[in-house]
Amino acid sequence: MEAQKIAVDAIVALTDCDRDAVAAFIRRLYLAGVRDPKRLTFKGLQAVGRS
């Protein structure tokens, strides 16, 4: 759970996007098995960059 919080905080700080949307995306990745905060942040930033 701490990995999710770290990733959400990092993405929101870097992109200033909606915290709830980022949290939902990170939660899906976490439930899919991604547990590393760096990996969650990287994948989250990629997704935000594509949007």
Side-chain angles (χ1 to χ4, degrees):
M1 295 305 250
E2 185 65 24
Q4 290 180 40
K5 182 181 178 326
I6 291 168
V8 170
D9 289 345
I11 294 168
V12 170
L14 292 170
T15 63
D16 197 36
C17 57
D18 181 45
R19 178 176 279 286
D20 292 332
V22 171
F25 180 78
I26 294 298
R27 193 172 304 113
R28 285 193 305 269
L29 286 175
Y30 190 83
L31 292 174
V34 181
R35 300 286 193 254
D36 179 36
K38 291 178 194 171
R39 192 91 178 127
L40 287 170
T41 303
F42 179 72
K43 287 184 173 283
L45 287 171
Q46 281 183 321
V48 169
R50 280 182 259 150
S51 305

